[in-house]
Amino acid sequence: MKSIITKWNSMSLILRIVIGLVIGAVLGIALPGVTAIGILGTVFVGALKAIAPVLVFVLVASALANAQGNIGARFRSVIALYLSSTILAAVLAVIGSFLFPVTMILNVAAADNTPPGGIGEVLTNILTSMVSNPVGAIVNGNYVGILFWAIIFGFGLKKLATAPTKKVIAEFSDVATYAVHFVISLAPFGVLGLVFQSVSENGLGIFTTYGKLILLLVGCMALVALVVDPLIVFLAIRRNPYPLVFTCLKESGITAFFTRSSAANIPVNMQLCEKLGLESDFYSVSIPLGSTINMDGAAVTITVMTLAACHTLGITVDIPTALLLSLLAAIGACGTSGVAGGSLLLIPMAASLFGITNDIAMQVVAVGFIISVIQDSVETALNSSGDVMFTAAAEYHDRLVKGEPMNYLGKPGK
């Protein structure tokens, strides 16, 4: 048994995850009634969600308290990359919806959720979340609040704390990182449970009823991941972006696909940034920030679903209004919660632009929940892998500007 465990641990994490994926799919088809297998997935995602808020707060505060250099330029770069990618994703979704219009059957039961009343409410919610109780923010996984207070505490520690205190904070962040590594090592078993649950509950029937809608959503997200985002990265670093793109999709996108939560995938992204040799002072802030505002997949979902509703209802959409929808979807996507299905509740806000009633819009949301096992998984994989990709691109760009070695993918180089 000891030799088996040693051999298992010697395999790469990706290979172990693939093994768990295959076993989970087989068990989902062969033993769909053994629901206890799905508990593995529930426990894994629960552990990630539990440790991620603590990790983010401690790492951000520690990074700012112990930061030695000025990395403000990198933050400006990564925010510009996040926002430009999200806006372009929404524009691409508009183009895709015009070229391949799809309709829906709007006779499903409305989901029992309350959507935001408009973009003003979305922005109000963001500002309110920022100033929420810091302990409550950590307990509830409110990453906007966690980031806000971690930055305040980090600057306070940098200015007022003594060197021994800063060292204790840094050591505590190391302890939190150790706990994360332990949780991530359980990913193969978690993925096994998550895949089993999806296959046993949904089967393959989902591909028939809403196949065209799923293809449009996934197709737009694939173009963003493989064309739009790599082009943005190329313009930033002037190098072939695809080694970085595929590394991020493989090592971040796969786990995000199954956890369906950008927030839960933060520890995975932190570990990948460390593997890429990026500076912890930078990525410990940019990764949780990306899980909040880098929402390419959410922008695609909001745009495609809204225009599908317009096509279904026979509403004519002109180009200027479609571009306005792109901007609205991008802004709304930045306010999407980093949990499964978070983007769907922004659809009524976008639908109101075309005079679509809330009752109809919530039926569209219900359709979204039906296909979410695919849509939300791909959306989260795109969002979360992009967090690492743009973080790396911002650091590489800064190094190029300063004439420093780029260390592309953790390898020394000019």
Side-chain angles (χ1 to χ4, degrees), residues 199-237:
V199 173
S200 62
E201 290 181 358
N202 299 282
L204 303 177
I206 193 172
F207 288 102
T208 57
T209 306
Y210 296 106
K212 291 182 179 180
L213 181 58
I214 293 172
L215 285 175
L216 179 59
L217 284 164
V218 173
C220 288
M221 293 180 195
L223 283 175
V224 172
L226 300 176
V227 179
V228 176
D229 286 353
L231 178 60
I232 295 173
V233 172
F234 171 75
L235 293 175
I237 68 174

Side-chain angles (χ1 to χ4, degrees), residues 100 119-120 152 198 202 220 260 337 366 380 386:
F100 305 100
I119 193 65
I152 297 297
S198 293
N202 299 282
C220 288
R260 295 171 59 192
S337 59
T380 309

Side-chain angles (χ1 to χ4, degrees), residues 88-402:
L88 289 176
V91 172
L92 179 65
V94 167
I95 296 172
S97 296
F98 275 27
L99 293 176
F100 305 100
V102 297
T103 58
M104 296 178 287
I105 303 172
L106 297 179
N107 60 356
V108 294
D112 185 19
N113 291 287
T114 303
I119 193 65
E121 186 174 339
V122 172
L123 295 176
T124 299
N125 289 340
I126 293 175
L127 293 174
T128 304
S129 297
M130 285 177 58
V131 295
S132 63
N133 182 283
V135 176
I138 294 174
V139 171
N140 298 319
N142 169 17
Y143 286 90
V144 176
I146 292 171
L147 272 175
F148 176 78
W149 289 114
I151 290 172
I152 297 297
F153 274 72
F155 282 127
L157 287 167
K158 183 177 181 62
K159 185 175 181 179
L160 303 174
T162 60
T165 302
K166 293 179 182 179
K167 183 178 179 181
V168 170
I169 296 296
E171 290 175 345
F172 192 62
S173 71
D174 291 339
V175 173
T177 302
Y178 174 83
V180 167
H181 288 173
F182 171 76
V183 174
I184 292 176
S185 69
L186 302 177
F189 305 101
V191 168
L192 186 157
L194 291 167
V195 172
F196 169 84
Q197 190 170 9
S198 293
V199 173
S200 62
E201 290 181 358
N202 299 282
L204 303 177
I206 193 172
F207 288 102
T208 57
T209 306
Y210 296 106
K212 291 182 179 180
L213 181 58
I214 293 172
L215 285 175
L216 179 59
L217 284 164
V218 173
C220 288
M221 293 180 195
L223 283 175
V224 172
L226 300 176
V227 179
V228 176
D229 286 353
L231 178 60
I232 295 173
V233 172
F234 171 75
L235 293 175
I237 68 174
R238 301 296 179 177
R239 282 201 179 191
N240 177 10
Y242 285 100
L244 176 62
V245 170
F246 291 135
T247 296
C248 294
L249 287 173
K250 180 180 72 172
E251 301 200 23
S252 171
I254 289 177
T255 53
F257 182 92
F258 293 109
T259 61
R260 295 171 59 192
S261 171
S262 296
N265 212 50
I266 287 174
V268 177
N269 285 348
M270 293 280 197
Q271 188 178 50
L272 177 55
C273 287
E274 181 182 1
K275 182 178 179 180
L276 294 176
L278 305 181
E279 292 187 10
S280 61
D281 287 355
F282 177 49
Y283 71 71
S284 61
V285 179
S286 68
I287 290 299
L289 178 65
S291 72
T292 304
I293 67 172
N294 181 40
M295 292 290 178
D296 299 9
V300 169
T301 296
I302 294 168
T303 304
V304 168
M305 297 293 283
T306 300
L307 290 178
C310 291
H311 295 145
T312 302
L313 299 172
I315 298 173
T316 302
V317 181
D318 55 30
I319 298 298
T321 307
L323 294 177
L324 178 60
L325 171 64
S326 299
L327 182 59
L328 185 66
I331 296 173
C334 293
T336 302
S337 59
V339 298
S343 63
L344 297 175
L345 294 182
L346 274 297
I347 292 172
M349 179 198 68
S352 66
L353 182 65
F354 302 96
I356 298 175
T357 64
N358 194 57
D359 289 342
I360 297 297
M362 289 311 298
Q363 292 184 41
V364 178
V365 173
V367 172
F369 278 110
I370 292 173
I371 64 172
S372 65
V373 65
I374 298 171
Q375 164 267 323
D376 198 45
S377 295
V378 177
E379 174 185 315
T380 309
L382 172 61
N383 292 342
S384 195
S385 61
D387 295 346
V388 181
M389 181 174 61
F390 290 129
T391 292
E395 179 167 327
Y396 296 152
H397 174 75
D398 183 58
R399 288 181 176 277
L400 281 175
V401 171
K402 294 178 179 178

